Amino acid sequence: MDEVEVVVAHSERATLRVGDVFLKVDSDQTRIDAEVEAMSLAPVPTPEVLWRRPPVLAIAALPGTTLGRLGGPSTGSPAAWAAAGAAIRKLHDAPPPSRPGRAGRSAVALAAELDDECESLVTNGVLPADLVARNRRVAEAALRPWTPAFTHGDLQIAHVFLDGDEVTGVIDWSEAGRGDALYDLATFTLGHEEHLGDVVAGYGTDVDLEVIRAWWSLRSLLAVRWLIGHGFDPFAPGCEVDVLRSLM
């Protein structure tokens, strides 16, 4: 009998693996709805949906391996990172879903959320004031008009699978929808700046690197307290706090 592996678990959702099947349990059915819709529309390989019985979604495992994870060593050749960039470009060029995604929040809403979060980080002594202030200034460049694209919304490197230099699938689409394409590129390269050039080369068009770095700051600032509150460690080597320090 296959063992049950807990892939990720916190108060909002959990993902379990049993053999070649992943079981996703989510308290918010709108996220599952978004995930199923996005996988049906995405022009890149996605997992096969085996069955769905709320609050559980069962999907098949993908072949291949990921390029690593935030805070861990990255793997893969420059060609593999470029192939991932090409797949991301293919997604962004597709007609976007009707619903906004995680990457689709307005600049006004983001600025307000960011200001509140920065104040909380400093007031509660989570991060030094100078570190927060510097990264808040860097993040400003992300708060600009953008053309809506089909975005994944949580495109961590752990969510993209490759076999050699070929992308075999992309998982975890619950944050997908209309949004800022550079948010996806920034999420994918967060903590792995050394591969940004390869990803952009595969993406195949000019990318504003200042905005990519702004999203690194913005995403990290917004994530720190949430991660701590859900049992994760943003202070681990190579993770969000190190990303913020690297931008000082």
Side-chain angles (χ1 to χ4, degrees):
M1 185 179 215
D2 291 317
E3 293 185 351
V4 176
E5 174 191 355
V6 178
V7 179
V8 65
H10 51 76
S11 60
E12 295 177 6
R13 66 186 87 170
T15 301
L16 310 175
R17 180 169 187 168
V18 185
D20 289 332
V21 177
F22 285 89
L23 302 174
K24 304 191 69 172
V25 185
D26 200 315
S27 61
D28 184 350
Q29 283 306 293
T30 60
R31 284 194 292 253
I32 295 293
D33 292 341
E35 178 154 16
V36 172
E37 178 189 25
M39 288 194 295
S40 71
L41 297 173
V44 296
T46 61
E48 177 188 0
V49 175
L50 301 175
W51 50 264
R52 181 184 180 191
R53 296 171 194 158
V56 182
L57 174 68
I59 60 175
L62 290 169
T65 58
T66 68
L67 291 171
R69 60 177 178 80
L70 182 62
S74 59
T75 61
S77 65
W81 286 85
I88 297 169
R89 175 64 184 276
K90 188 174 182 180
L91 174 68
H92 291 165
D93 283 346
S98 58
R99 72 177 79 204
R102 181 70 175 169
R105 291 165 291 172
S106 72
V108 173
L110 273 171
E113 182 182 358
L114 184 59
D115 287 341
D116 288 346
E117 194 62 29
C118 287
E119 181 179 357
S120 294
L121 288 167
V122 175
T123 300
N124 294 303
V126 179
L127 293 176
D130 60 341
L131 180 65
V132 172
R134 166 58 180 161
N135 277 275
R136 174 63 182 85
R137 290 193 295 272
V138 172
E140 189 69 27
L143 304 176
R144 86 271 179 241
W146 39 266
T147 301
F150 191 152
T151 55
H152 180 279
D154 191 21
L155 200 62
Q156 304 173 47
I157 59 172
H159 293 163
V160 179
F161 285 73
L162 295 97
D163 184 1
D165 299 336
E166 179 183 356
V167 174
T168 57
V170 182
I171 64 171
D172 284 0
W173 293 83
S174 60
E175 307 286 357
R178 301 170 69 89
D180 179 2
L182 296 192
Y183 180 91
D184 273 353
L185 287 173
T187 302
F188 190 72
T189 54
L190 183 73
H192 294 286
E193 183 176 1
E194 70 276 15
H195 296 294
L196 177 59
D198 297 324
V199 173
V200 171
Y203 195 72
T205 189
D206 290 337
V207 170
D208 190 331
L209 298 183
E210 181 183 3
V211 175
I212 294 287
R213 294 187 176 92
W215 273 121
W216 288 341
S217 285
L218 199 159
R219 180 182 169 95
S220 297
L221 286 169
L222 293 183
V224 169
R225 288 198 313 132
W226 185 95
L227 290 166
I228 293 171
H230 288 78
F232 301 101
D233 184 9
F235 290 88
C239 291
E240 285 79 4
V241 175
D242 273 357
V243 170
L244 295 172
R245 290 169 178 153
S246 74
L247 292 163
M248 287 291 284

